Amino acid sequence: MRYLKFILVLVVATTLNSCSVYNFTGTGKIDAETFQVNYFQNSAEIVEPGIERTFTLRLQDLIQNQTNLTLTNSGGDLVYEGEITQYRISPMTATADQRAAQNRLSITVNVRFTNKKNDDDDFEKPFSFYYDFSGDSLPTGSVLTAALDEIFERITQDVFNESLAKW
């Protein structure tokens, strides 16, 4: 009986994995073999040097880690492109003496996604997220690194979900 249960579990697991009925990233079956992520330009009014490269690499890494697609420089079946349209720091709360107690860094990225195998999946839309930090600090050094990590993790996951997971 124990041997039969083991075989049944093995058959079900193999079937679900090999037939692409289900995978653990939630993407389902992707009708593409390659993808390309074009360089995201920084067209925000306030320019923080290097964030466009960081975002581009983070999106490439996420797609590579969560799919079996091959990254290419041109002619990809799936194409991601766009620009960083907003980089804004704004006060969120104030102290009694009219100073910022907490600030918020907000970043918005406009993404154009093209699926050359299925035009119905194409979209262009903005994705944004924020990071709150103390009013006593500036968004530099470790504060900026932590902010970009959190913001880009959320935005890239949202782009992935919209384009491949269909969530």
Side-chain angles (χ1 to χ4, degrees), residues 96-166:
D97 61 347
Q98 301 296 320
R99 294 178 41 166
Q102 186 177 37
N103 289 321
R104 174 171 287 179
L105 171 60
S106 302
I107 297 178
T108 302
V109 181
N110 187 53
V111 177
R112 287 179 296 282
F113 171 74
T114 306
N115 182 342
K116 293 182 181 175
K117 304 258 183 173
N118 184 1
D119 293 340
D120 294 336
D121 291 345
D122 295 357
F123 67 81
E124 178 174 359
K125 85 184 259 191
F127 295 88
S128 62
F129 200 64
Y130 61 89
Y131 179 83
D132 293 335
F133 59 97
S134 170
D136 296 336
S137 61
L138 295 172
T140 59
S142 63
V143 173
L144 181 61
T145 300
L148 293 178
D149 284 346
E150 186 170 321
I151 292 169
F152 287 162
E153 179 180 342
R154 178 63 176 267
I155 292 175
T156 57
Q157 191 63 55
D158 288 349
V159 170
F160 178 85
N161 290 344
E162 182 73 23
S163 62
L164 296 174
K166 306 292 190 270

